[in-house]
Amino acid sequence: MSETIRIKYFSEEIEKLRYIDGKSDWIDLRAAEDVVLKEGEFRLIPLGVAMQLPEGYEAHVVPRSSTFKNFGILQVNSMGVIDASYCGDNDQWFMPVLAMRDTEIRTGDRICQFRIMKNQPQIDFEIVEQLDGADRGGFGSTGTR
């Protein structure tokens, strides 16, 4: 069953959102304007879209696997979370980036991706003195191979 999401485009120069058939359930987002960055500069890159997500859902925005290789930028919040309340007519999505080298991003370049997820259910935490699971040895205990 599919959900309908209302979307507003802020640019006619970017491709309309679509799945890449058979490859992933993530959807690519594109830079909505040309951006020139010098090493060490921070910038909010406009993605050219705003959406009205269904109540109880959120969008997770992350870099594409090739973003750093192609553009030398890091998404500074590691993963963007856009909740359903960010749904106004001017609530354009952005990617906050830090340039690790001088770079140029052109309008239409695919720089990040997103997927829509259901919100986490309500969780109650039970405080205990001991957990029942097997002890794996702590953080970093799985080795390198």
Side-chain angles (χ1 to χ4, degrees):
M1 183 171 113
S2 67
E3 293 276 352
T4 299
I5 295 177
R6 298 181 71 203
I7 183 169
K8 175 183 176 179
Y9 287 93
F10 290 83
S11 171
E12 293 294 326
E13 296 181 47
I14 60 171
E15 186 177 313
K16 302 299 186 237
L17 298 186
R18 64 182 175 84
Y19 286 106
I20 300 174
D21 294 333
K23 292 193 177 185
S24 176
D25 62 349
W26 290 78
I27 300 169
D28 287 338
L29 291 164
R30 298 167 184 273
E33 65 183 39
D34 292 345
V35 175
V36 176
L37 293 166
K38 297 290 183 198
E39 181 180 343
E41 284 187 322
F42 168 81
R43 177 81 184 270
L44 291 173
I45 300 178
L47 300 173
V49 297
M51 293 183 214
Q52 193 169 358
L53 301 178
E55 192 63 39
Y57 286 81
E58 62 193 19
H60 295 176
V61 180
V62 299
R64 298 179 74 243
S65 61
S66 61
T67 297
F68 186 78
K69 176 182 69 102
N70 291 340
F71 304 108
I73 57 174
L74 298 174
Q75 183 173 340
V76 296
N77 59 347
S78 300
M79 180 180 89
V81 178
I82 300 171
D83 64 41
S85 70
Y86 192 70
C87 61
D89 197 46
N90 293 304
D91 289 338
Q92 180 174 194
W93 293 13
F94 290 84
M95 182 184 187
V97 302
L98 178 66
M100 302 308 291
R101 60 175 163 84
D102 292 356
T103 190
E104 294 183 16
I105 300 163
R106 297 288 169 224
T107 301
D109 284 345
R110 295 178 298 160
I111 58 171
C112 57
Q113 59 191 336
F114 79 100
R115 72 184 312 182
I116 306 297
M117 303 291 295
K118 277 191 168 187
N119 290 44
Q120 178 172 287
Q122 181 65 42
I123 295 175
D124 295 317
F125 292 99
E126 175 188 358
I127 299 172
V128 297
E129 294 296 322
Q130 188 172 357
L131 300 174
D132 297 333
D135 190 343
R136 289 184 44 190
F139 182 81
S141 62
T142 58
T144 59
R145 296 189 188 261

